[in-house]
Amino acid sequence: MTEQALISMRGIVKRYPGVTALRNVDLSVQPGEVMALVGENGAGKSTLLKILAGAARADEGTIEVSGVVRDIQAPRDSQACGIAVIYQELNLANDLSVAENIYVGREIRNRFGLVDFRAMERGAAALLNSLGVAISPRQLVGNLNIALRQMVEIAKALLVDARVVVMDEPTSSLTEEEVETLLELVRKLRSNGVSVIYVSHRMREIYEIADRITVMRDGAVVGVCEAGNTTPNDVVQMMVGRELVDLYGVRSSPLDETAAPALEVKSLSCGDLLHDVSFSVRPGEILVLAGLIGAGRSDAALAIFGAARRRGGEILVSQKPLALRTPIEAMDAGIGFVPEDRKHQGLFLGLPVRENISSASLPAISRLSIVSRRRDRDLATHHSSQLGLRLSAIEVAAGTLSGGNQQKVVLARWLARKPRILILDEPTRGVDVGAKAEIYQLIRTIAREGVAVLVISSELTEVLGIADRIVVMREGYGVGELNAADATEKRVMAMATGVEGDVS
């Protein structure tokens, strides 16, 4: 491209005590371009974006905006350059209206100095209308789903005439339909001359919207390519520094079709969200619950694990009916559960990896109710090594690890208990492609050892890649079952959305 870059970061270096996070990184973005920024967790993407956003300062290097060197020392400097960053953790106030969130810090005031709510609502409605988004500006943000909250963040960016919008993992919590809405919005921004830096681990999205792709590994840029001149496999190989022959792994032996189920769920109902759901999982089988967000899949998992009260139905473990009224009872029955939100539900972020791994196995490493430090350390060391955890020591805080390593810590906790049944709710959400491949291989290994694995996933490619069988849920009901050999994206989505017609 010969046009002058809108953003040009040159020779960016960032050092932290004991580690160089960025090594002479160059990044350029053209006007009206979608630049995908990809790399494994820990590659340096977040650090680079923090420097661009003014949330961190580079030790070396320059940032140019339209050819002019800018000294970005704080977020306000970045915003003054027309740069808006939409983080994965959205920066919105749930108790304020859509209009109030869009205009926060830039409120319109009348001639008496009072906030003019009507004017802000009109302005917010015009902005949202320009994006093709139907949201009432008076609605509380806390009542919106994640996809619509993303739209409010983008509207905030456009209010300040952002010329560059940075999106960090914007679709990690969205349904397939919501993803399409967001991607269409990115295309609209590009057609309006707004540049987008799009950070994602999802190759399909990247190849749908990106003009160019910048690949980072170990704090450096290892490649910049035109999206139309490369393949996802090429990009993945640059990201991980090795070839991933089979992302999802392969089953080494056929399932024993005559084996009795390890877990049976019969006519399970829970609150107003789950109705008469039935399925079973055999030892060594990977059963995936598919469906849209809100279909009741996580509610089923919580009910099985005793974390949500049932109002009907039976749960059988090894053909024995069990009440499973609390997670302790489920754990005693041999059930492990990796929740969807690892940061808030799966980890003690401030505690060391050692304590996170051993926290579900304290009776096994204790004597007279006193924890053996040696057994505690040996347990954590063994399982962190077995799962290939990348860390300097088992005493580091879990909150300092990358997403992939955090997920491995949660998995290690349950594997230390040697479960007969393992429930994995969105096991690769927010995890880079290299760590995904390792987690898929781990799931395969667990299944080969005879554990019944129940997976909940919203990624269709993951559903088809990992499942032996698929149960599709919709609006709290189980609406269909497919063997992996018979499943296609079209058939699963047709069941999940209730679409009639040819779904072959």
Side-chain angles (χ1 to χ4, degrees):
M1 296 184 179
T2 57
E3 190 176 1
Q4 184 183 65
L6 180 56
I7 298 290
S8 182
M9 304 179 77
R10 297 180 180 175
I12 302 295
V13 175
K14 180 63 179 177
R15 303 181 188 91
Y16 293 103
V19 63
T20 300
L22 297 174
R23 299 179 176 87
N24 294 310
V25 172
D26 294 343
L27 176 75
S28 67
V29 184
Q30 305 294 329
E33 174 186 41
V34 177
M35 166 64 77
L37 180 62
V38 302
E40 292 189 272
N41 289 336
K45 306 186 303 296
S46 295
T47 304
L48 185 66
L49 295 181
K50 285 178 182 177
I51 290 170
L52 182 62
R57 295 211 63 185
D59 296 312
E60 299 176 26
T62 61
I63 301 174
E64 294 182 6
V65 180
S66 298
V68 178
V69 175
R70 296 296 189 108
D71 184 17
I72 297 178
Q73 300 186 39
R76 63 178 178 272
D77 301 323
S78 178
Q79 293 164 10
C81 293
I83 300 166
V85 181
I86 300 172
Y87 294 102
Q88 190 172 357
E89 303 292 335
L90 299 179
N91 187 26
L92 295 171
N94 289 338
D95 294 331
L96 296 182
S97 70
V98 168
E100 287 168 328
N101 270 277
I102 290 174
Y103 280 91
V104 68
R106 301 175 181 85
E107 291 82 0
I108 299 174
R109 298 184 180 274
N110 61 24
R111 60 195 178 95
F112 302 109
L114 302 175
V115 174
D116 191 335
F117 291 100
R118 294 259 180 109
M120 292 196 305
E121 287 167 5
R122 288 194 297 270
L127 269 175
L128 293 166
N129 185 59
S130 72
L131 296 173
V133 179
I135 312 174
S136 167
R138 296 184 179 182
Q139 190 165 359
L140 286 181
V141 161
N143 295 333
L144 302 178
N145 63 29
I146 294 294
L148 293 178
R149 292 183 199 184
Q150 293 271 16
M151 305 308 176
V152 174
E153 281 277 27
I154 293 169
K156 281 176 61 178
L158 297 185
L159 179 67
V160 295
D161 295 322
R163 293 185 289 166
V164 179
V165 175
V166 181
M167 297 184 179
D168 186 7
E169 293 287 348
T171 63
S172 61
S173 300
L174 304 188
T175 66
E176 294 288 327
E177 185 177 353
E178 290 167 343
V179 168
E180 289 307 314
T181 301
L182 183 72
L183 296 184
E184 186 56 40
L185 184 53
V186 172
R187 296 184 188 101
K188 186 172 290 188
L189 291 174
R190 175 171 54 192
S191 67
N192 291 338
V194 177
S195 300
V196 177
I197 299 176
Y198 192 89
V199 181
S200 178
H201 295 309
R202 298 182 175 183
M203 288 293 124
R204 185 169 68 174
E205 293 173 16
I206 287 168
Y207 274 85
E208 279 192 39
I209 58 168
D211 299 301
R212 288 191 301 150
I213 303 170
T214 296
V215 185
M216 294 187 69
R217 186 174 74 243
D218 298 330
V221 171
V222 294
V224 180
C225 50
E226 299 287 335
N229 296 334
T230 187
T231 68
N233 284 341
D234 296 332
V235 172
V236 168
Q237 190 167 345
M238 281 192 278
M239 286 170 58
V240 302
R242 64 190 187 278
E243 186 175 0
L244 295 179
V245 178
D246 190 338
L247 180 63
Y248 298 102
V250 253
R251 176 169 293 282
S252 59
S253 57
L255 280 169
D256 181 1
E257 301 287 345
T258 64
L263 172 69
E264 290 179 89
V265 173
K266 296 183 177 181
S267 301
L268 183 64
S269 297
C270 178
D272 296 325
L273 304 170
L274 203 65
H275 314 283
D276 197 28
V277 173
S278 301
F279 57 82
S280 64
V281 196
R282 294 188 293 268
E285 181 179 31
I286 301 171
L287 178 75
V288 178
L289 296 185
L292 304 179
I293 292 173
R297 300 164 303 159
S298 294
D299 303 288
L302 290 169
I304 294 167
F305 195 61
R309 181 170 294 182
R310 286 182 279 153
R311 61 178 171 80
E314 274 190 308
I315 297 172
L316 294 84
V317 175
S318 299
Q319 300 183 290
K320 180 182 177 182
L322 296 176
L324 301 183
R325 290 163 297 198
T326 67
I328 293 295
E329 291 180 1
M331 290 164 63
D332 289 343
I335 301 174
F337 178 46
V338 176
E340 176 182 13
D341 187 345
R342 60 177 169 267
K343 288 189 175 180
H344 295 100
Q345 299 173 325
L347 288 169
F348 305 105
L349 294 174
L351 295 183
V353 168
R354 171 181 54 78
E355 292 184 44
N356 271 276
I357 292 176
S358 63
S359 60
S361 304
L362 295 181
I365 58 174
S366 301
R367 186 176 182 182
L368 301 177
S369 299
I370 299 174
V371 174
S372 164
R373 293 301 298 269
R374 181 183 60 79
R375 289 182 180 179
D376 183 19
R377 188 173 54 253
D378 289 349
L379 182 79
T381 301
H382 171 73
H383 286 283
S384 61
S385 174
Q386 189 180 48
L387 270 67
L389 269 166
R390 299 185 183 94
L391 40 82
S392 56
I394 58 172
E395 297 303 324
V396 301
T400 66
L401 303 181
S402 68
N405 278 321
Q406 287 183 352
Q407 192 72 328
K408 288 180 184 178
V409 171
V410 184
L411 283 164
R413 172 190 300 151
W414 293 109
L415 295 184
R417 285 186 59 90
K418 297 181 171 56
R420 290 181 287 168
I421 299 157
L422 184 60
I423 304 171
L424 306 171
D425 194 351
E426 302 288 0
T428 64
R429 173 165 289 169
V431 169
D432 64 67
V433 70
K436 277 187 177 183
E438 293 173 354
I439 290 171
Y440 295 142
Q441 289 292 347
L442 179 62
I443 292 172
R444 294 286 189 201
T445 300
I446 293 167
R448 278 196 293 269
E449 292 173 353
V451 176
V453 183
L454 177 63
V455 177
I456 297 165
S457 176
S458 299
E459 280 194 53
L460 278 177
T461 51
E462 181 172 274
V463 169
L464 299 178
I466 198 70
D468 295 313
R469 275 189 307 127
I470 301 165
V471 169
V472 183
M473 295 185 63
R474 183 176 72 246
E475 296 176 0
Y477 294 89
V479 294
E481 181 177 312
L482 295 166
N483 288 319
D486 302 323
T488 63
E489 287 192 20
K490 190 174 179 182
R491 293 189 73 180
V492 173
M493 279 305 294
M495 288 182 180
T497 58
V499 172
E500 302 293 336
D502 180 17
V503 292
S504 57

